[in-house]
Each structure stands twice: as structure tokens, then as C-alpha cells.
Amino acid sequence: MLELLDISFAFAKAETLKNISLKLEQGTHAAVIGESGCGKSTLLDVIYGLLQSQKGSVKWEDEELLGADHHLVPGHPMMKYVPQEFDLMPFTTVFENVGEHLSIQIDDRTKRIEELLDVVDMSDFKERKVKTLSGGQKQRVAIAKALAQEPKLLLLDEPFSHIDNFRKNALRRRLFDYLTKNNISCLVATHDRDDVLSFCHNTIIMRKGEIVDYRATNKVYSKPKSLYTASLFDEVNDIPKEWLGKEHDLILYPHQLERATSGFDVEVKQSFYQGKDFLILGLKDGKEVFFKSNKAVEVGTTVTLNLVS
């Protein structure tokens, strides 16, 4: 189990992490999401020992990890980290990179490397020199290399940012299935809601160096505590309580509003094609309102909206 107790960190005089505390149970997958500069990558760097916190402690299985000021080589044997800068050997093959730290004495060494290359869909490239690979291919090799030593905790920083969209979903499924089967915990810093919703048990929301929410992913998404949290997943509406006769203002995603015979009126300003439907932008009293429609709506049309029944 990973545990952070009251962690604070500052670059120069700018505090980047403020009193961060959290627990990650073994086998749990958690996402860290938030706006750029909120401290996601810094948090992973402190956990792994690349940066030394000024306050608080990082514990792994009740053992305190002393951090960068106490170790020339960062990290813990049971942790592996895949940062946005890949630690690969450019002039050796994909196969050699993944097996870099695996002893040649291991009986199933070749089988293990090939299994991991299959997880990241790089089996066909095992004899290619890393320097000849694309950014996305290097990213997949870096993930396989991190898994080679059977860590108990995997730290990922924007792990699919360089990978083609058509490969992402299959790679996510393979990777998180492998982590689940091998009881490997994962902490992933990401901007991508698709990394979060289907694959992470819990979600940590960060803002300005602080954790502002940490709950089960479905609860963070379905019952956001703020507009900021909801906006990390989708367009979001702040609906005044008076518009629908409610006791409090509502935070709603576009799919939670539909055309109705009663409710509140908006004037349509734009329609955005999204494949299976359209995202419609309307205005009421100068406030933007987003809703979904199965077809485009003519600009200038007045539409009545209410909660999806």
C-alpha cells in the first residue's frame, strides 16, 4: 500500500504541492487529473523520489521512503515510473530495452519479454532499434520496460499522450487487464477522461497543488463537487436554481438536458457534429448552455430544455 502523509513541495518559493495526503490500496488503479500546472507530474516525481518533499512523508508498506536527498538512484524496488521523458536506450533493440534489467539467467526471460511486448502491441517491432521508432511506439516500449521487473506499483505520467487514437482503447484494455491480473497498483496522471472513466477505480482531483476530491471514479463523475471537477470530464452547465424551480443550482453535463415542453428557453448559437449526435450551444441571459441533440439545430432557434427524464 502507498501512503502519503501531509506532503508539501515548492520550486523556489512557488508552492507546487500543499499538504497532500492519500492512500492507495494494493491492486487499486487511481487517476490524478486536473488543469495544467496543478501538480500532477510533481506529485509522481515526489512519490518516486526524483524530488524531495519539504514536508511530510511517503510510505510504501509502512516503510518510509527517504527521497531524493538520501538516494543517488531514485525509486523503490517495488515501484516503476514511466514519465513523459522516456528512459530508453536508443541504439539497442526493442527486445533488449524491455529485457535490460532482467538477468540472462532467468529461464523464462524470453517468454516474459515477449508477453510484455504483446501487452503493448509491439511484438512486430522487437528487432527494431529504438531510435527508429515513433514517439508513440517508444511510449509503449517504456511501459513494457517498466513492467518487466514485476513492480507492485506503476506510476504513469500521460501514458497514452503520444499514441494514435485508434490504438489507445485496445492498449488501455490490455494494460489495465494485465495490471489487474497481476495485482499491480497504478497511479496515472492524465488529462484524458478516457484514461479515467473505464479503467481507474478511484479519481484524485487536483487544483493549485491541492487535492480537492478523492473518491470512487463513478461518484466523482456523476456527483461532481464543483464546476471545475465536472469540466475535467466534459462541457458543463451551471444551471441557476430559478430556471428549473430547484432548491439549489445544478451542475449538469450536456447529456443531462433534453428538449422538452416546459423548463427554460435558450437561443441556439452553434451546433457541433460529434459523430452519433450534435453538441448544441445555446444562450440564456448571456449564459452558455450545452445540450445534446440527434440532429443539428438552426442558429437562432429558441429551444425549451429540461432535465432528462
Side-chain angles (χ1 to χ4, degrees):
M1 180 180 73
L2 175 71
E3 184 175 10
L4 274 60
L5 300 171
D6 206 24
I7 292 290
S8 293
F9 176 83
F11 286 108
K13 295 183 179 180
E15 194 168 27
T16 308
L17 300 177
K18 304 173 185 177
N19 304 316
I20 299 290
S21 294
L22 64 87
K23 289 183 180 181
L24 186 67
E25 299 291 342
Q26 189 56 44
T28 299
H29 307 151
V32 185
I33 63 174
E35 62 191 347
S36 296
C38 70
K40 300 186 299 293
S41 297
T42 303
L43 178 62
L44 296 191
D45 288 345
V46 169
I47 291 171
Y48 193 63
L50 294 172
L51 296 174
Q52 179 70 48
S53 62
Q54 278 88 41
K55 177 186 173 186
S57 61
V58 178
K59 291 186 176 182
W60 174 254
E61 300 294 355
D62 294 324
E63 172 194 352
E64 184 171 352
L65 308 183
L66 297 179
D69 287 354
H70 302 271
H71 298 286
L72 291 175
V73 179
H76 184 280
M78 290 295 99
M79 290 185 193
K80 291 301 168 190
Y81 183 22
V82 182
Q84 295 185 58
E85 299 293 331
F86 315 131
D87 180 22
L88 299 174
M89 301 180 294
F91 299 103
T92 57
T93 67
V94 167
F95 187 93
E96 290 167 330
N97 267 270
V98 175
E100 178 187 2
H101 298 295
L102 294 180
S103 170
I104 60 174
Q105 307 292 329
I106 300 175
D107 292 338
D108 64 346
R109 183 177 187 273
T110 297
K111 180 180 178 181
R112 173 149 183 74
I113 295 171
E114 290 178 344
E115 176 192 17
L116 294 172
L117 290 176
D118 183 63
V119 169
V120 298
D121 194 22
M122 286 294 290
S123 298
D124 292 342
F125 299 88
K126 65 181 182 181
E127 299 303 329
R128 285 269 298 271
K129 293 288 198 303
V130 165
K131 68 176 183 177
T132 68
L133 301 178
S134 69
Q137 290 168 334
K138 290 176 182 176
Q139 195 164 36
R140 286 144 63 194
V141 174
I143 292 171
K145 181 178 177 180
L147 292 173
Q149 295 181 75
E150 302 181 341
K152 287 296 183 182
L153 172 63
L154 184 64
L155 305 173
L156 301 173
D157 193 359
E158 300 290 351
F160 311 110
S161 59
H162 295 278
I163 296 170
D164 299 329
N165 283 331
F166 77 95
R167 289 188 184 276
K168 281 186 181 181
N169 285 334
L171 179 58
R172 288 185 185 107
R173 287 193 295 270
R174 289 186 183 194
L175 175 60
F176 284 98
D177 181 61
Y178 178 88
L179 297 178
T180 298
K181 287 179 178 177
N182 290 276
N183 197 36
I184 299 172
S185 303
C186 182
L187 195 59
V188 51
T190 181
H191 285 93
D192 192 338
R193 55 169 267 165
D194 291 331
D195 293 346
V196 180
L197 292 177
S198 296
F199 302 103
C200 291
H201 306 109
N202 300 322
T203 295
I204 299 162
I205 306 292
M206 290 192 67
R207 190 175 196 184
K208 297 180 180 178
E210 297 181 278
I211 292 177
V212 296
D213 198 359
Y214 182 20
R215 290 180 289 158
T217 295
N218 62 335
K219 292 182 179 178
V220 171
Y221 174 76
S222 62
K223 296 181 179 180
K225 293 182 177 180
S226 67
L227 283 170
Y228 171 76
T229 293
S231 70
L232 298 173
F233 294 100
D234 202 346
E235 298 288 357
V236 62
N237 299 302
D238 179 17
I239 305 299
K241 59 186 178 182
E242 296 83 6
W243 289 8
L244 290 172
K246 301 296 183 180
E247 294 182 358
H248 53 79
D249 295 346
L250 302 177
I251 297 173
L252 300 174
Y253 298 111
H255 70 267
Q256 294 176 301
L257 289 172
E258 64 179 0
R259 298 179 74 163
T261 56
S262 63
F264 63 91
D265 294 340
V266 299
E267 181 184 354
V268 172
K269 293 298 182 182
Q270 285 180 285
S271 294
F272 303 95
Y273 179 61
Q274 295 192 321
K276 68 177 182 179
D277 55 25
F278 287 80
L279 177 68
I280 312 299
L281 169 61
L283 280 183
K284 177 177 174 59
D285 301 335
K287 180 186 285 286
E288 292 185 338
V289 178
F290 293 94
F291 65 98
K292 291 294 185 80
S293 172
N294 57 10
K295 59 183 179 181
V297 182
E298 185 176 352
V299 173
T301 302
T302 297
V303 174
T304 302
L305 299 176
N306 211 320
L307 299 176
V308 170
S309 55

